[in-house]
Amino acid sequence: MMLVRYLSQIGRYFIMLKDVFNRPVKWSVMKQLILKEIDDLIIDSLGIVCFISFFVGGVVAIQTALNLTNPLIPKYLIGFATRQSIVLEFAPTFISIIMAGKMGSFITSSIGSMRVTEQIEALEVMGVNALNYLVFPKMIAASLYPFVIGISMFLGIFGGYLAGVYGGFTTSQEFITGLQNEFIPFHIAYAFIKTLVFAFLLATIPSFHGFFMKGGALEVGKASTVSFVWTSVVIILMNYILTQLLLS
């Protein structure tokens, strides 16, 4: 029975994606909606992303340095390990899971509140495609999410550099040598491909849970929690699949 319910929800999700592109809202209206979503979802997320990335980068560098106890192991591996950890996994994947909590809860609660107050029904009565009006601007705004992840990568590596050099664990030259050692440009492309997929999930899964929720204010909170859990689960599953496809 539970399997049938999950399959039904998955089917409903894909039908929602199809309906998002039906009967688009006029561009003059859509442009304002997209700018508002960019401000709410992207600009407002920069602060927490910058803060977390900088200090996690520092922690990665320090922990790597503390575990290099063998004097035969070169110190430049601190920079190498920091770069690999930040670029391949931390910035694209774990920041996305954190954003599932921030962006996802915001999207679900805002759309869910409109459902509770019957604003969605009012849009439909006026002949507006509510899914296009509410979800499409979020999908376009989320396409700028790789910009946030690029900043996260830079600040994570910069935080690792400051922690490693000024903490006395390595020299500036050794750290930079580690950053440049065995650098594979495709790893950057891999990270941004993952980021675009995660951005799509961050915009659509919370929107689905907000749009189709039923009940009152209490159910809005429950829907936000459920959307965070499922967004995180799907991000982790897609991370595994994309890693197998792109890096194997």
Side-chain angles (χ1 to χ4, degrees), residues 114-115 117-130:
M114 292 182 69
R115 173 65 76 185
T117 55
E118 299 184 350
Q119 294 179 57
I120 293 176
E121 285 80 356
L123 287 171
E124 291 170 344
V125 166
M126 290 188 292
V128 175
N129 181 355

Side-chain angles (χ1 to χ4, degrees), residues 55-220:
F55 285 101
V56 168
V59 169
V60 169
I62 291 170
Q63 289 190 348
T64 303
L66 293 177
N67 283 283
L68 295 179
T69 54
N70 192 324
L72 298 177
I73 299 177
K75 293 292 184 183
Y76 72 77
L77 284 179
I78 297 172
F80 176 81
T82 302
R83 184 198 74 204
Q84 294 295 89
S85 301
I86 297 294
V87 170
L88 291 177
E89 281 306 315
F90 172 74
T93 305
F94 291 101
I95 289 292
S96 295
I97 291 173
I98 292 167
M99 287 299 102
K102 188 198 178 296
M103 284 171 53
S105 296
F106 173 79
I107 291 171
T108 304
S109 60
S110 61
I111 296 179
S113 298
M114 292 182 69
R115 173 65 76 185
V116 169
T117 55
E118 299 184 350
Q119 294 179 57
I120 293 176
E121 285 80 356
L123 287 171
E124 291 170 344
V125 166
M126 290 188 292
V128 175
N129 181 355
L131 280 169
N132 182 263
Y133 185 89
L134 295 172
V135 181
F136 185 72
K138 293 174 174 58
M139 293 170 65
I140 298 300
S143 66
L144 296 177
Y145 183 59
F147 168 73
V148 177
I149 297 304
I151 293 175
S152 172
M153 289 178 186
F154 171 76
L155 286 175
I157 292 172
F158 183 61
Y161 172 83
L162 292 181
V165 174
Y166 292 98
F169 298 104
T170 183
T171 65
S172 176
Q173 185 58 47
E174 285 175 329
F175 191 90
I176 292 172
T177 300
L179 290 181
Q180 297 171 335
N181 186 56
E182 295 183 20
F183 175 66
I184 301 172
F186 180 71
H187 284 172
I188 301 293
Y190 157 77
F192 282 118
I193 290 169
K194 285 205 305 185
T195 300
L196 280 171
V197 174
F198 297 161
F200 179 80
L201 297 174
L202 286 169
T204 55
I205 294 177
S207 296
F208 170 79
H209 285 283
F211 193 87
F212 291 106
M213 64 141 291
K214 296 177 181 178
L218 181 62
E219 279 70 25
V220 173

Side-chain angles (χ1 to χ4, degrees), residues 1-16:
M1 196 69 184
M2 188 174 290
L3 177 62
V4 173
R5 186 160 61 87
Y6 286 151
L7 291 175
S8 172
Q9 290 288 83
I10 292 169
R12 206 175 184 189
Y13 170 75
F14 284 105
I15 292 171
M16 181 201 79

